[in-house]
Amino acid sequence: MSAPLTSAPGVHDVRPDPVVGFDYEEQARGLLPPHVSAYYGAAAGSGGGSAEGTADWSAVRFRPRALQDLRTLDTSTTVLGTPVATPVLVAPMAQQLGAHPEGEAVMARAAAASGSLLGVSTNVAVPFSTVAAAGAPWWFQVYVMRDHGLTELLVRRAVDHGARALLLTVDMVALLPASVNPRQWPEGPAKSRLTNLTAAELAAAGPGAVDMDAGISLATIGWLREISGLPVLVKGVLRGDDAAACVDAGAAGVIVSTHGGRRLGPSVSAARALPEVVEAVGDAGEVYADSGIRSAEHVAAALALGARAVFVGRPALWALAADGETGVRAVLDGMTGELRQVMTQLGAASLDRITRDLVA
Ligand SMILES: Cc1cc2nc3c(=O)[nH]c(=O)nc-3n(C[C@H](O)[C@H](O)[C@H](O)COP(=O)(O)O)c2cc1C
């Protein structure tokens, strides 16, 4: 497939639906085995939370500024001190060998080429060394396993390979029916997970050791900081009081996320939760957002509501499946290119000019 958006659009490029250029879902579904696309596309409960998440970003209305100097547009920023060329980051997602034989390695190469940053799941299926070799800055997503020794081993290994921060995921994902649970997939590479622990380490830990620990608490933030020496972002926060407690407990910030609608069907959307969280965190940390972001307008909405940057999940995963590195780059570069156009329309020459007053 040719890249949907290769050049920065000018004022005469009329694109009635900004989502179309980045949407590889249909193409990917045509290529993937049904059990893989069912897992990637799954959402909790009736499934409406995912679409609603997108609709709520689309519902944001802007108050564009007039008469701004827009000769130079700058989409670069820093995320926990790491410079990136775009505020569109790649969300951590499990089971990427299901999308592409090289999985996260390709995702990482695309992120590097686009000047983005990669979230790497606890359930990553390729070695950390391969991810790191791509050259993109990366953050390691942590599911605390029941066996804390095993969790620590994995975290230390990620640190040794250059992870620059930890994302502590605190939302319990809804139990998926067997038909969409990767544990039920046929044996093969796509089923691989936790491959940065050796078979011997996993065997020694015993049954149930890698199940998620349902007893994590605010103290987990300090523990992760201590064992890693890295900043910790808490992923899956939807309330101001939780966000404030996280930064008080030493988190560098939070990610406002519904896990792409996979946590709880009738959940508040990320777009609706974001302002409350931003207000509660204030200057004490950085706030990020994901879930349902599908266009540059959504990116601008999240930034205007106070997010420092956003993560995209499924758009990158479908693109990986449909067109490998080219596909993921088309999503990241396409959204960033379109963001420049949206910034022009908003009267914001740089990301720090995408401020709350732009939202009606
Ligand atoms: C197939 C799939 C696997 C995921 N795996 C993880 C994971 O291992 N850890 C995690 O914190 N989030 C995981 N997520 C959630 C993403 O990090 C992100 O929050 C979500 O996909 C964003 O929503 P979006 O897909 O609508 O962009 C996963 C999401 C999908 C779709």
Side-chain angles (χ1 to χ4, degrees):
M1 180 172 171
S2 61
L5 240 188
T6 48
S7 57
V11 287
H12 300 298
D13 295 322
V14 178
R15 298 184 62 225
D17 181 354
V19 177
V20 167
F22 316 131
D23 194 352
Y24 287 88
E25 177 169 353
E26 200 182 319
Q27 201 186 342
R29 281 185 185 274
L31 295 166
L32 291 170
H35 60 272
V36 175
S37 37
Y39 169 67
Y40 290 172
S46 61
S50 182
E52 207 177 289
T54 297
D56 282 350
W57 293 118
S58 296
V60 172
R61 290 291 170 269
F62 293 104
R63 302 169 59 238
R65 293 187 195 105
L67 295 171
Q68 303 297 308
D69 182 350
L70 300 168
R71 285 172 296 182
T72 310
L73 296 171
D74 184 4
T75 61
S76 70
T77 185
T78 59
V79 289
L80 297 178
T82 292
V84 282
T86 171
V88 183
L89 316 179
V90 181
M93 286 173 287
Q95 313 296 150
Q96 294 189 20
L97 288 188
H100 189 285
E102 290 182 79
E104 290 86 349
V106 179
M107 202 69 112
R109 289 205 290 271
S114 296
S116 180
L117 174 147
L118 184 74
V120 175
S121 167
T122 282
N123 289 319
V124 58
V126 304
F128 289 144
S129 54
T130 309
V131 171
W138 62 285
W139 292 346
F140 182 56
Q141 177 269 324
V142 182
Y143 282 130
V144 177
M145 297 178 274
R146 276 199 213 153
D147 186 325
H148 289 193
L150 211 54
T151 309
E152 182 171 342
L153 189 62
L154 190 58
V155 166
R156 287 187 189 276
R157 219 159 260 171
V159 176
D160 288 346
H161 285 92
R164 297 191 191 193
L166 300 180
L167 311 180
L168 168 63
T169 299
V170 296
D171 50 4
M172 286 277 181
V173 176
L175 283 179
L176 301 172
S179 57
V180 293
N181 188 338
R183 312 284 181 278
Q184 313 293 326
W185 287 5
E187 290 307 322
K191 202 174 173 176
S192 307
R193 56 192 286 264
L194 282 169
T195 48
N196 288 277
L197 291 169
T198 65
E201 286 160 352
L202 289 166
V210 302
D211 292 346
M212 270 169 74
D213 181 356
I216 57 170
S217 68
L218 287 170
T220 308
I221 296 167
W223 174 65
L224 285 175
R225 278 186 60 174
E226 200 182 298
I227 62 171
S228 68
L230 294 179
V232 176
L233 285 179
V234 181
K235 177 171 183 281
V237 171
L238 291 166
R239 300 167 51 115
D241 53 1
D242 280 345
C246 287
V247 291
D248 280 352
V254 299
I255 304 177
V256 177
S257 169
T258 65
H259 217 107
R262 290 158 90 86
R263 174 199 194 157
L264 172 70
S267 163
V268 64
S269 66
R272 285 179 194 249
L274 181 58
E276 171 186 334
V277 170
V278 166
E279 196 186 335
V281 170
D283 293 333
E286 296 187 359
V287 178
Y288 296 82
D290 76 18
S291 299
I293 290 178
R294 298 291 179 268
S295 72
E297 289 158 0
H298 297 163
V299 178
L303 267 51
L305 291 174
R308 185 157 191 94
V310 302
F311 292 87
V312 290
R314 292 184 194 84
L317 195 55
W318 296 128
L320 176 68
D323 207 11
E325 185 178 337
T326 309
V328 179
R329 284 208 62 186
V331 169
L332 298 175
D333 296 348
M335 274 199 191
T336 306
E338 199 168 88
L339 180 61
R340 267 186 219 106
Q341 187 182 14
V342 174
M343 287 164 70
T344 306
Q345 291 155 338
L346 288 175
S350 56
L351 299 188
D352 60 0
R353 295 282 293 141
I354 306 184
T355 44
R356 184 62 197 256
D357 60 288
L358 284 176
V359 176

